[in-house]
Amino acid sequence: MRAALGIGMTGETVDPHPVLVADVRIPALDRDNWHMFPPAADGGGFLAICPLSGTPDFQLTAQFTDGTDPDTSLEGVRKVVAARTHLTADEVTEVRWASDFRPRAALADRFREGRVFLAGDAAHVHSPAGGQGLNTSVQDAYNLGWKLGAVLRGGAPAALLDTYEAERLPNAARMLGLSTRIHRGEERRGAATRQLGLGYRDSSLSVETRTGLADEALRAGDRAPDGPCGTGRLFDAFRGPHFTLLAVGTDAELPALDEELVHVHRVGDYAPYGNGLFLVRPDGYVGWAGEDANGLTDYFRLIHKGS
Ligand SMILES: Cc1cc2nc3c(=O)[nH]c(=O)nc-3n(C[C@H](O)[C@H](O)[C@H](O)COP(=O)(O)OP(=O)(O)OC[C@H]3O[C@@H](n4cnc5c(N)ncnc54)[C@H](O)[C@@H]3O)c2cc1C
């Protein structure tokens, strides 16, 4: 589909060595651990067997550094398991699914062609080493989903859809670099791989009206943190396709708002936010922030039919 649209994919080989990935049954192996077998001195590459929760299967990954290609048949999988682990070939009783790949990092040159949008692995591929693929893909879909809804159902300007690529492509590019560095052992999993610090401060959809904020202050474009909200939690209040206007530690007057579009909550002083008004987007990022509601109505013209 991407090729048919004429959208290029630019990237590099992360590792020339192929990797076998297979869902296997090994009843003799305990399911309490992720079993890791480091590369042997005489070659062969790493092998890992991870229990897949909620199933009787394990996921096996095995790197081939000796110039051979992975054999995805039952016999091929049995052979590599017997050669690199304490298990015997017969203890692999079944291969449910198997494939092979060469880790590569590549990014689509653009995420949109007319009415077609690229999201997830169609837009970016990378080494699985950092465990970033699913989160990044789901965030793509969440970012795009509410914008499509706003334009198609809410009558928002079509330009809102252009912010999808503007916000997600730079994040994907950074994630590719991170995954490659982790694959090559130049960086370890940590705060960056948890993706909680990602945001869109530079986006045209992030409007910060306060000035003189401390460096560490939460501001428009940041991920809105969780916290108490009445008898529940903010994350519960955010959940859904609506915007959430949070009035934190302020009695600031609010304009009349479409109740279906915006849910309003007033909460007491809460340090992670600081005091003010925070408009949280359906995907959980602060879109607009202010000391009072000045400018809030203008912001809605970007994301709704306005008036
Ligand atoms: C070995 C390995 C380990 C990984 N580990 C992690 C991890 O720990 N954490 C993490 O976050 N990510 C991990 N990932 C990455 C993650 O699996 C992917 O990034 C994620 O699944 C991408 O989601 P997607 O919806 O974009 O694509 P996919 O999950 O590939 O979904 C695309 C779907 O489209 C279907 N499809 C394709 N063509 C057509 C067609 N023409 N018509 C109809 N349907 C079609 C496919 O069958 C598939 O179901 C790993 C990947 C691998 C290979």
Side-chain angles (χ1 to χ4, degrees):
M1 170 67 86
R2 188 181 53 240
L5 291 167
I7 300 180
M9 194 89 177
T10 307
E12 57 166 350
T13 298
V14 171
D15 191 328
H17 302 120
V19 178
L20 167 71
V21 53
D23 291 353
V24 297
R25 295 251 164 107
I26 310 179
L29 197 59
D30 83 75
R31 302 188 58 81
D32 301 326
N33 295 289
W34 189 332
H35 305 268
M36 308 292 284
F37 302 89
D42 56 353
F46 76 85
L47 186 146
I49 307 177
C50 169
L52 293 175
S53 75
T55 79
D57 300 342
F58 290 90
Q59 184 169 78
L60 177 143
T61 43
Q63 188 186 36
F64 286 71
T65 56
D66 57 3
T68 62
D69 282 328
D71 176 353
T72 55
S73 69
L74 173 61
E75 286 321 306
V77 173
R78 283 178 157 168
K79 198 170 149 200
V80 70
V81 167
R84 298 202 211 161
T85 76
H86 59 284
L87 298 161
T88 63
D90 290 351
E91 285 176 312
V92 180
T93 58
E94 211 176 323
V95 171
R96 313 270 302 158
W97 169 93
S99 185
D100 63 325
F101 65 95
R102 279 179 176 73
R104 182 167 175 261
L107 186 63
D109 297 341
R110 55 188 198 281
F111 284 10
R112 179 181 186 183
E113 177 62 42
R115 291 161 61 86
V116 182
F117 293 83
L118 300 182
D121 282 4
H124 34 74
V125 292
H126 53 90
S127 162
Q132 300 295 285
L134 191 58
N135 268 343
T136 307
S137 302
V138 168
Q139 289 193 53
D140 286 348
Y142 211 168
N143 187 296
L144 178 59
W146 73 260
K147 292 171 183 173
L148 284 173
V151 171
L152 296 176
R153 296 181 55 201
L160 179 61
L161 296 174
D162 295 334
T163 67
Y164 165 64
E165 176 183 300
E167 291 187 343
R168 295 304 301 161
L169 191 143
N171 266 314
R174 281 191 287 274
M175 182 274 290
L176 295 192
L178 175 68
S179 295
T180 297
R181 291 194 298 281
I182 291 173
H183 184 100
R184 292 178 176 159
E186 297 161 6
E187 190 169 335
R188 294 177 69 83
R189 291 186 185 211
T193 50
R194 286 192 283 278
Q195 298 202 9
L196 299 180
L198 293 190
Y200 308 117
R201 283 188 183 185
D202 297 333
S203 169
S204 59
L205 275 189
S206 302
V207 178
E208 176 58 69
T209 66
R210 300 164 301 166
T211 53
L213 291 173
D215 283 353
E216 66 280 9
L218 181 80
R219 62 191 72 209
D222 292 349
R223 175 178 168 274
D226 196 13
C229 180
T231 55
R233 307 290 301 172
L234 288 174
F235 277 4
D236 294 324
F238 298 159
R239 192 169 297 120
H242 56 271
F243 284 78
T244 306
L245 181 61
L246 283 183
V248 185
T250 174
D251 295 327
E253 236 177 84
L254 304 179
L257 297 163
D258 176 335
E259 286 176 16
E260 199 186 329
L261 178 70
V262 189
H263 296 187
V264 177
H265 294 275
R266 287 189 180 272
V267 298
D269 289 348
Y270 184 50
Y273 279 82
N275 290 7
L277 300 180
F278 300 87
L279 183 70
V280 181
R281 306 175 356 173
D283 57 352
Y285 290 84
V286 178
W288 177 95
E291 258 173 49
D292 53 37
N294 271 332
L296 183 56
T297 311
D298 289 342
Y299 184 80
F300 276 106
R301 294 202 185 95
L302 300 175
I303 54 168
H304 197 59
K305 61 179 175 287
S307 79

